[in-house]
Amino acid sequence: MIAVWVGLELTIYGMALVFGLLAVLWGVISLLVRLDARVARQSGGASRAVTARVAGDPGALDPALLAAIVIACRAHRMTRRKQAAPEMRIHEPGSLPSRWVGSGRTRQNRSWAPGGRYA
Amino acid sequence: MSDQLTQLREMREKALAGGGAERMAEQRRRGKLTARERLALLLDEASFQEIGALATHNNPDFGMSAHRVPGDGVVAGFGKVNGRRVAVFAHDFTVLGGSLSVVQSQKICRVHDLAIESGIPIIGLNDSGGARIQEGVRSLAAYGEMFTRNVLASGVIPQISVVLGPCAGGAVYSPALTDFVIMSRDTSYMFITGPEVIKAITGQQVSAAELGGPVVHNTRSGVAHVLAESEPRAIELVKVLLSYLPQNNTEDPPQVVPHDPADRMDERLNAIVPDVESEPYDMHEVIDAVFDGDSFLEVHPYFARNAIVGFARLDGHSVGIVANQPTHLAGALDIDSSDKIARFVSICDAFNVPVVTFVDTPGYLPGVDQEHYGIIRHGAKVIYAFCQATVPKITIVTRKAMGGAYVAMCSKQMRSDLAFAWPSAQIAVMGAEGAVRILRRRELAAAADPSALEREFVDEYQERFMNPYMAADTGQIDEVIEPRETRPRLVRALEVLRTKVQQNPPKKHGIIPM
C-alpha cells in the first residue's frame, strides 16, 4: 500500500515538474513572439516608408535614369535570351540524361573491333 | 616546399606574361586583344581550366633556345560558355607571332581529342603567323595532326573558328575544315599564298585585305560565314552561334523559354507577296514574322545573297532556315547559293536541327558561265544534302517553285516531312511563257497575231497550272495555308516531328558531288 502511495506521489511530482517546465517554455516563446512582432512592425514600417518615398516622390529617381535602367535590363535580358543563357533555358544544363554518355557507354560494352582510337 | 611553390608560381607568372608587356602593348596598338583577354571575354567567369601552360619547344636551331616561352604561343584548355562546357584554344600572337610549333600542335590536338571524347564543342581563336619555319617540316606535320582532328570531329562536335589576325598558308585549312568561320573586320585575313608570293609568281599586285580580307571571304569566296565588326563582337557571335547548337551529334540544341506566343499570326504575311508576279519581296520579312522575335541569326549573310540560310527559334526550339531571296537574282539557284544551302543543310542534319525551307525560285540560274563552272555538280549538292538529311524537314512554297529547283528545294520527294503552300504559290515545270512557246509552237507559228494568241495561251496556262492546287491535288503539297497561319502550323508540325527518327542505309559514307 505504501509503495502505491510513493508511486502516486512520484507521478504527481514528475507531472508537476513537466507541466511546470512546459508552462515556463510557453511563456518564453510568447514573449519572443511579441518581441519579434514589434521589431518586424518597426522595420516594415521603415521599408514601407522608403518605398512610398521613392514611388511617391518623382524626384527620388531621375526619369532618364529610370528609363536607362529599364532599357539596360531589357537589353541584358535579350542578350541572355539570344545566347540561351541558363536562366532562359527550359532545362538546366546537365539536368537531362546525356545521350552522348548513354550511347557511348553502350558502345564501350560492345565486343572489341579492329580499328584505331576513333573506330 | 615553399621554394618549389615559388618556382611554380614564377613559371605560371611567366606563362601568363606571354611574349612580354612590350609585345602585348603592340598587340593592343594594332587594335587586337591578347589571347587571354579573348578567352576572358568568351568564357564564363573563373571557368577556364588551362592545360599545357608550361609546355614549350625544344628546338635549338636558329637561336630558338633564347625564345622559350611557357605555353609556346597558344593558350589551350576547357571552360564554360553560358554554363555549357567547351574546349578552346587561342593563339598568342605575342609569342613568336603565334607561329605553329610541334608543341603548340600537341596542345591543340590534346584539347581536340578530349573535346571529341567528351562530346563538347571546340572553339579556336586564330591569330597566327603560320608554320614556325625554324622547326622545318615538323611544323607541317603538326598541321597534319590538327587537320586529322578537324575531320574526325566533323559532324560529331560543333567546331567554330574565329579568325582574329593573320591566317596564312597551311594554317587556313584548319579553320576551313571547321563548321563555322567568323572573321573580324580590320584585323583578320586568310590566304594560302600571300601578296608577295603572288606578285613574284604572277606579277599581280594585290593587298592582303583585297586578297583574303574579311570582306572578300564573307562576300565572294564564302570561306567565312559571319563578319564581325570587332573582336568582342566576334566572340559574342560565338556564344550566340553555340546557343543554336547541341553539345554533340547525339544531343539536342538548348531549348529556351518561349517569349513569343506559339499561335501568333502576323497579318502582314497575307499581303507580303506582291500581286505582280515579277515584283520582288524581302524573304527576311517573312522570316522575321514567322519565327520567334529577334531570334534569327543569318549565316553567310553577304555571300550568295539569292539564298538565305541561318538559325532561328520557333517556340523556343532551334531551327535551321533555308530560303530563296526574291530580291537577288529573283531567287534563282546558282553555283554559290547551291553550295551555301547544301553546306548549311548538312550542318543542321549533323546537329539535329530541324530544317524549314521557304521556296520562291524560278529555277536554276541560266548562263554559259554557270554551266561551264559546274552548276550541275553544285546544284546536285542541294539535292544530296536534303535527301541525306534525316532531321525534321518542312517546306513552305511562298510563290514560284519551278522545275528542277523546286524539286531540289526540299520537295516532298526529297523526303520532306510536310509541305505547305501559300495561295500565291506557282508550282510548275516552267514559267507560263516558256511553256506556251513549247506546247503551242505550231498554233503560234500559224496565227495571224501570234502575240495576242500567246497572251491568251499564257493566261490559260496560268489559270490552269500556276497555282498550288494541282500540286495539292496530286499530294505534292500537304496543305494550302494562309500565310499568316505559317507560324502556328510550323510550331505544331515541329512539335510532332521532334521525336522523328529516320535511318539511312548503312554505309561508310556517301559520296557528295563535290
Side-chain angles (χ1 to χ4, degrees):
Chain A
M1 195 61 186
I2 293 168
V4 173
W5 275 113
V6 170
L8 207 59
E9 208 174 345
L10 282 173
T11 307
I12 290 164
Y13 287 145
M15 285 177 75
L17 183 68
V18 168
F19 280 108
L21 284 172
L22 282 173
V24 171
L25 194 64
W26 174 79
V28 170
I29 289 170
S30 299
L31 191 67
L32 284 174
V33 167
R34 283 189 182 189
L35 282 171
D36 187 50
R38 190 177 295 171
V39 171
R41 266 201 304 277
Q42 283 169 356
S43 63
S47 67
R48 268 198 301 276
V50 172
T51 311
R53 185 162 54 80
V54 171
D57 180 8
L61 269 181
D62 180 19
L65 180 66
L66 200 63
I69 292 169
V70 170
I71 289 167
C73 288
R74 284 193 178 172
H76 177 68
R77 192 173 169 75
M78 276 165 67
T79 307
R80 301 299 279 163
R81 182 182 295 285
K82 268 183 172 285
Q83 295 179 0
E87 67 270 22
M88 294 294 178
R89 278 182 230 152
I90 295 275
H91 309 288
E92 281 295 306
S95 64
L96 288 177
S98 163
R99 277 189 280 162
W100 176 263
V101 175
S103 58
R105 296 275 192 273
T106 308
R107 281 197 304 275
Q108 281 175 344
N109 288 315
R110 281 193 195 150
S111 303
W112 181 86
R117 187 174 184 174
Y118 302 104
Chain B
M1 187 66 182
S2 62
D3 288 347
Q4 290 164 334
L5 286 176
T6 308
Q7 186 190 6
L8 173 65
R9 283 168 189 163
E10 280 173 3
M11 289 173 80
R12 279 183 170 175
E13 285 297 323
K14 210 174 165 190
L16 288 175
E22 202 176 303
R23 289 199 177 133
M24 283 196 183
E26 174 65 17
Q27 177 88 341
R28 291 192 189 97
R29 197 187 58 73
R30 288 181 186 152
K32 291 166 36 172
L33 299 170
T34 64
R36 287 181 192 278
E37 285 169 346
R38 288 166 178 164
L39 288 174
L41 276 179
L42 174 67
L43 301 171
D44 294 352
E45 198 176 339
S47 72
F48 184 50
Q49 166 72 51
E50 189 171 356
I51 61 167
L54 305 180
T56 186
H57 70 85
N58 280 309
N59 179 26
D61 302 328
F62 303 103
M64 287 296 285
S65 303
H67 300 285
R68 295 185 79 241
V69 177
D72 209 27
V74 71
V75 184
F78 299 90
K80 285 186 176 179
V81 172
N82 281 312
R84 298 168 74 200
R85 298 166 302 145
V86 293
V88 286
F89 66 88
H91 289 122
D92 186 350
F93 196 78
T94 64
V95 179
L96 298 166
S99 57
L100 190 94
S101 66
V102 173
V103 169
Q104 199 182 104
S105 163
Q106 282 168 349
K107 283 175 68 176
I108 294 171
C109 289
R110 180 76 191 124
V111 169
H112 222 136
D113 285 342
L114 292 173
I116 296 170
E117 286 160 9
S118 307
I120 58 174
I122 184 160
I123 301 153
L125 307 180
N126 295 269
D127 186 4
S128 163
R132 192 170 293 173
I133 302 165
Q134 294 91 333
E135 295 199 6
V137 75
R138 281 173 294 175
S139 65
L140 293 182
Y143 275 128
E145 295 286 344
M146 286 166 54
F147 300 160
T148 306
R149 265 71 175 185
N150 284 131
V151 173
L152 293 174
S154 178
V156 180
I157 51 170
Q159 301 183 81
I160 300 174
S161 296
V162 190
V163 182
L164 302 168
C167 190
V172 297
Y173 288 116
S174 184
L177 288 165
T178 60
D179 305 322
F180 296 100
V181 177
I182 299 171
M183 288 182 82
S184 72
R185 197 187 278 275
D186 301 330
T187 57
S188 64
Y189 54 85
M190 296 171 79
F191 41 68
I192 290 177
T193 48
E196 293 83 13
V197 179
I198 288 180
K199 191 182 174 190
I201 293 173
T202 68
Q204 286 177 297
Q205 275 199 323
V206 65
S207 69
E210 288 166 343
L211 183 65
V215 174
V216 171
H217 286 311
N218 274 278
T219 56
R220 294 187 66 184
S221 73
V223 168
H225 300 86
V226 187
L227 175 66
E229 290 303 318
S230 62
E231 284 196 25
R233 178 64 185 150
I235 290 165
E236 195 192 338
L237 280 167
V238 174
K239 296 184 187 186
V240 176
L241 195 50
L242 277 176
S243 75
Y244 294 97
L245 299 168
Q247 291 289 84
N248 55 63
N249 63 331
T250 67
E251 293 182 3
D252 292 325
Q255 181 197 355
V256 301
V257 180
H259 69 297
D260 206 351
D263 55 357
R264 175 175 61 77
M265 288 196 265
D266 197 324
E267 296 293 335
R268 284 177 304 156
L269 285 172
N270 276 4
I272 209 161
V273 178
D275 292 331
V276 180
E277 196 186 305
S278 56
E279 205 174 300
Y281 61 95
D282 190 353
M283 193 62 91
H284 285 108
E285 287 180 27
V286 175
I287 293 167
D288 290 342
V290 169
F291 295 92
D292 291 359
D294 199 29
S295 72
F296 183 50
L297 173 70
E298 190 165 357
V299 176
H300 266 151
Y302 307 112
F303 173 67
R305 296 172 77 175
N306 42 333
I308 299 170
V309 299
F311 296 104
R313 288 201 176 81
L314 193 64
D315 202 31
H317 291 275
S318 181
V319 290
I321 298 167
V322 174
N324 304 115
Q325 172 60 294
T327 57
H328 284 84
L329 298 174
L333 288 179
D334 62 352
I335 289 172
D336 286 346
S337 61
S338 298
D339 283 357
K340 174 174 166 174
I341 291 171
R343 181 185 169 91
F344 184 75
V345 171
S346 192
I347 288 172
C348 288
D349 184 43
F351 294 119
N352 310 316
V353 180
V355 180
V356 177
T357 308
F358 290 89
V359 185
D360 185 351
T361 178
Y364 281 106
L365 185 69
V368 176
D369 278 353
Q370 289 290 311
E371 296 291 347
H372 286 186
Y373 288 119
I375 182 69
I376 298 172
R377 181 163 51 84
H378 292 279
K381 291 179 194 174
V382 179
I383 299 171
Y384 195 100
F386 273 122
C387 288
Q388 181 181 242
T390 55
V391 287
K393 289 176 286 186
I394 301 176
T395 308
I396 300 123
V397 181
T398 58
R399 193 163 63 177
K400 290 176 193 161
M402 305 284 178
Y406 155 63
V407 181
M409 288 295 287
C410 202
S411 63
K412 208 67 193 294
Q413 289 67 37
M414 302 287 106
R415 303 206 294 178
S416 163
D417 298 295
L418 278 168
F420 296 121
W422 288 2
S424 50
Q426 303 170 358
I427 304 166
V429 178
M430 62 196 301
E433 285 81 5
V436 163
R437 278 171 206 155
I438 293 168
L439 294 170
R440 304 284 193 173
R441 190 172 58 244
R442 285 180 190 153
E443 288 100 317
L444 288 172
D449 184 358
S451 59
L453 189 63
E454 186 182 323
R455 188 69 256 156
E456 196 179 309
F457 285 145
V458 165
D459 289 345
E460 182 196 344
Y461 186 93
Q462 279 182 330
E463 199 179 321
R464 281 190 67 190
F465 297 106
M466 305 300 271
N467 59 58
Y469 303 110
M470 184 160 275
D473 188 54
T474 57
Q476 291 183 55
I477 292 292
D478 291 303
E479 193 83 43
V480 181
I481 59 170
E482 277 192 44
R484 66 180 186 141
E485 294 170 9
T486 307
R487 177 178 167 84
R489 290 276 189 165
L490 285 176
V491 170
R492 272 177 254 156
L494 284 174
E495 196 177 3
V496 172
L497 292 168
R498 202 160 293 136
T499 49
K500 176 190 171 187
V501 177
Q502 189 176 35
Q503 284 189 321
N504 293 334
K507 58 178 128 177
K508 196 172 173 186
H509 59 76
I511 300 157
I512 192 162
M514 284 178 271

